[in-house]
Amino acid sequence: MWILDVLGLRTGILLGAWLNGIGAVVRILSGMEFVPSNFRFLVVVIGQTLAALAQPFLLCAPTKLAGVWFGANERGTANMIASLSNPVGVMIANVLAPVFVTKKSNIPQMLKYFSIPALLGIAMATLGVCSSTPPTPPTASAEAKSEPFFLGLRKKLAGIAGAVLIAVGLAGGAVSGIYIDKTKKFEEAAKMSFGCATISCCVVTIVTSFSGLPVLLISSCGLFGFFAFALMPVCLEVGVECTYPVAEATSAGLQWMAGQATGIVFILICQVLEVPRKLKDSKCLKKTSDGRVADFKFAMYFMSAAAVAMAILLICTFKPTYKRLEMERKKEATRILSTETSQQRLPDIPDSSSDIFR
């Protein structure tokens, strides 16, 4: 994030593309004959790590790209196209992988095929992205200089609230992940997290309708973050459970795509519900010529209403079947039964020459 904001969009895209491409090439090396077999897994991990380091640059770029290069009526669409590229790529990879790999020896060939988009990305980023900003800024906000991240946190309530939301949310995700690992209560965790996140969303909507409540606003954002982030590991795991034996990555990829698509719809609806208003003591930099700013009050009402409707639907109708757990339990029961049967001994039969037969 810091590199994209301070050093520019082009620098971030170049770093992301090159790290991803180099990681793909390193993964190919793991299948080469000159690499000792006991080092091949390490080579794969190194390549995967390099590709993972590229992700923050690429995942954080869409909003920067949309904000700097596109007009006010184009940003949502640009962000949507760029953001959806990642889950679409994951989906394509999951579809093609079983086609390429029918036996173990096909894996090196698959890695070569999958490196082609990464290498094309290097060429496109290096030769195609020539500047971080356009010659003429499309909007006033694109022309304005962004504040450094930590300075923005100190000065802006929104920055502090956002930071608290994410920080507390990470804790919520960790707690929910440990909870479902220990208890396997996916349904209960999903319904509890979604219900509490919905209540928190409604609280945030109410609090933002008033001014002069910074502590309450930050607290409600933290509460929302805790339960909203807690949903992530729960939903991903319960998705795998419900769709088993579908591949885990396919299930997760479809969930991410559905989430992105829903986000696009919500963004478009919220833009329609935006109402320009003159607000007292507004510090918003984006204003119309007559001093009005965008008021998203009705958009917040819509978001809360949609969350309540989805929460009711989830709580009343979601009755998952844990297919993967059931299979594992059946396998374990069969194994235990087989072990106990093999350990049973037949009773000793007296020898015919013993006294009992005399």
Side-chain angles (χ1 to χ4, degrees):
M1 293 184 294
W2 180 85
I3 289 177
L4 286 169
D5 287 336
V6 177
L7 300 183
L9 184 64
R10 184 174 187 270
T11 302
I13 291 177
L14 285 174
L15 282 172
W18 277 93
L19 283 170
N20 193 44
I22 294 172
V25 173
V26 172
R27 287 198 298 265
I28 293 175
L29 296 178
S30 66
M32 298 296 181
E33 294 183 358
F34 62 83
V35 178
S37 58
N38 56 330
F39 285 102
R40 290 182 179 179
F41 180 71
L42 177 61
V43 174
V44 171
V45 171
I46 293 173
Q48 195 68 17
T49 301
L50 290 172
L53 290 173
Q55 291 303 300
F57 299 106
L58 303 177
L59 293 178
C60 296
T63 51
K64 183 75 173 179
L65 173 69
V68 173
W69 282 85
F70 292 87
N73 297 326
E74 302 167 338
R75 287 193 292 250
T77 304
N79 197 358
M80 173 265 294
I81 294 173
S83 299
L84 279 180
S85 300
N86 187 61
V88 168
V90 173
M91 180 190 69
I92 294 173
N94 280 284
V95 171
L96 294 180
V99 177
F100 293 148
V101 180
T102 56
K103 52 186 178 180
K104 184 179 179 181
S105 59
N106 296 141
I107 294 178
Q109 193 67 26
M110 180 199 69
L111 293 176
K112 294 177 182 178
Y113 289 143
F114 282 0
S115 68
I116 294 174
L119 297 177
L120 286 176
I122 290 178
M124 294 171 64
T126 304
L127 303 177
V129 183
C130 301
S131 174
S132 295
T133 57
T136 303
T139 61
S141 61
E143 188 176 9
K145 185 178 180 181
S146 300
E147 288 185 346
F149 177 73
F150 292 105
L151 178 60
L153 284 184
R154 289 196 298 267
K155 293 178 63 177
K156 296 182 182 296
L157 176 62
I160 298 173
V164 170
L165 187 150
I166 295 173
V168 178
L170 293 175
V175 170
S176 67
I178 296 172
Y179 175 77
I180 59 176
D181 263 346
K182 298 294 184 182
T183 65
K184 307 302 181 186
K185 294 183 178 180
F186 301 103
E187 178 184 350
E188 293 83 351
K191 292 181 177 181
M192 178 64 70
S193 298
F194 202 110
C196 293
T198 299
I199 295 172
S200 304
C201 179
C202 295
V203 173
V204 172
T205 300
I206 295 171
V207 172
T208 53
S209 300
F210 302 92
S211 59
L213 300 173
V215 176
L216 190 57
L217 176 61
I218 293 172
S219 301
S220 59
C221 286
L223 191 64
F224 173 74
F226 183 88
F227 292 109
F229 276 62
L231 273 171
M232 185 180 297
V234 176
C235 291
L236 292 175
E237 280 297 307
V238 79
V240 174
E241 292 291 340
C242 294
T243 59
Y244 184 84
V246 174
E248 292 88 344
T250 302
S251 172
L254 290 174
Q255 287 191 70
W256 282 115
M257 288 186 64
Q260 296 281 358
T262 305
I264 293 167
V265 174
F266 274 50
I267 289 173
L268 295 176
I269 294 175
C270 289
Q271 287 181 342
V272 173
L273 295 176
E274 172 189 329
V275 179
R277 291 181 56 190
K278 285 188 176 182
L279 300 176
K280 294 181 179 180
D281 302 325
S282 174
K283 297 181 181 179
C284 183
L285 297 177
K286 183 183 175 182
K287 297 182 180 180
T288 60
S289 56
D290 58 353
R292 293 185 297 172
V293 298
D295 183 8
F296 287 94
K297 178 176 66 176
F298 294 107
M300 291 290 291
Y301 291 161
F302 165 75
M303 294 282 287
S304 298
V308 170
M310 287 187 287
I312 294 173
L313 184 65
L314 175 76
I315 293 171
C316 295
T317 64
F318 186 58
K319 305 291 181 183
T321 300
Y322 305 147
K323 297 179 181 179
R324 184 174 62 174
L325 278 178
E326 287 183 358
M327 184 277 296
E328 291 173 347
R329 287 167 180 166
K330 288 179 181 178
K331 290 281 187 181
E332 182 65 15
T334 303
R335 186 190 66 80
I336 294 173
L337 183 61
S338 176
T339 302
E340 291 178 349
T341 303
S342 64
Q343 290 178 349
Q344 287 181 351
R345 296 181 178 179
L346 294 174
D348 294 333
I349 300 176
D351 186 71
S352 58
S353 60
S354 62
D355 293 340
I356 192 172
F357 291 102
R358 291 179 182 177

